Amino acid sequence: MIRVLDVFLSITGMLIGLPLMMIVTCIGFFDTGSPFFLQKRVGKNKRPFTLIKFRTMSKNTESVASHLASVDSITKVGKFLRATKLDELPQLWNVILGDMSLVGPRPNLFNQEELIFERDKMGIYNVRPGITGLAQIQNIDMATPARLAEVDEKMIKTMSVGLYFKCIFATVFGAGSGDAVK
C-alpha cells in the first residue's frame, strides 16, 4: 500500500511542482552553474543509489554529511531552498524509480561508518530510505547516530498509513529543519 501511495503522490507532486522545479532549475544555473546535486547514498539492503536534489552549496564543497559541512558553503539561493525544503523536490524522481520512499530513514553516505553500524544493528537497511521521516520532523539528524537509528527503528516498527501522512504533512508544514550545517 505504501509503495502505491509513494508512486501516486510522487507523480502528482512532480506534475504539480513542474513549473516551480523549472524555475528553481533556471535560478540554479545562475546561482552555481549546476542546479542539481547528485550523490551516492546507501539504499535498501545497503545498495548504492544516486540521490538527486537541488544544489544548495557551492560546487567545490567537500562531499560530507551536512552536519559536517561549513555554513559558508551554502549559497544565498541555497539558504532559501533549504529553509523551504524545495531542495528536496527532485527526490520525487528517486521515489518513482523505487530508490526511495516518501517516508523512511534518511539515506546516509557510505562514509558515515558510525551511523551505518548503528543502523545495521537495528535492521534499518531492510526498508527504502525516505525523503522525510519521524527523525526529521523531530529535528534528529545524522550528528547523533545512535539516537537517529533508534527513532528510525521506532518509525519502521510502527509504520502505518497514519504515520506516513503525519510525517508528510508535518514536513510540508514546516516541521524539522533537516541536517544542521555548522
Side-chain angles (χ1 to χ4, degrees), residues 99-119:
D99 296 326
M100 295 179 72
S101 177
L102 289 175
V103 179
R106 281 297 294 160
N108 55 274
L109 299 167
F110 280 92
N111 64 4
Q112 292 178 280
E113 294 171 7
E114 185 179 353
L115 180 55
I116 290 171
F117 175 77
E118 294 294 336
R119 283 180 160 178

Side-chain angles (χ1 to χ4, degrees), residues 19-156:
L20 178 60
M21 290 173 59
M22 290 172 62
I23 291 168
V24 173
T25 300
C26 291
I27 293 170
F29 275 114
F30 291 105
D31 187 43
T32 63
S34 177
F36 295 102
F37 173 74
L38 305 170
Q39 188 177 55
K40 288 287 181 204
R41 296 284 181 104
V42 181
K44 183 178 179 182
N45 299 319
K46 293 171 75 174
R47 289 193 179 106
F49 75 97
T50 302
L51 178 119
I52 182 170
K53 295 175 73 167
F54 282 121
R55 184 178 297 281
T56 61
M57 298 184 190
S58 59
K59 284 176 64 174
N60 61 351
T61 302
E62 186 180 359
S63 184
V64 295
S66 293
H67 68 277
L68 299 175
S70 167
V71 71
D72 296 332
S73 62
I74 301 175
T75 68
K76 289 177 184 173
V77 172
K79 286 179 187 172
F80 172 77
L81 293 176
R82 283 174 167 262
T84 59
K85 299 183 181 101
L86 291 173
D87 62 318
E88 310 284 351
L89 279 177
Q91 289 175 75
L92 294 174
W93 184 246
N94 287 115
V95 175
I96 292 167
L97 291 176
D99 296 326
M100 295 179 72
S101 177
L102 289 175
V103 179
R106 281 297 294 160
N108 55 274
L109 299 167
F110 280 92
N111 64 4
Q112 292 178 280
E113 294 171 7
E114 185 179 353
L115 180 55
I116 290 171
F117 175 77
E118 294 294 336
R119 283 180 160 178
D120 262 341
K121 290 192 305 189
M122 297 182 182
I124 303 305
Y125 297 111
N126 295 332
V127 300
R128 284 184 183 94
I131 295 175
T132 190
L134 194 56
Q136 285 66 43
I137 65 173
Q138 294 179 0
N139 288 316
I140 300 166
D141 68 15
M142 294 182 185
T144 55
R147 177 75 179 124
L148 178 59
E150 288 172 10
V151 175
D152 287 342
E153 180 187 39
K154 176 183 175 186
M155 176 184 61
I156 291 166

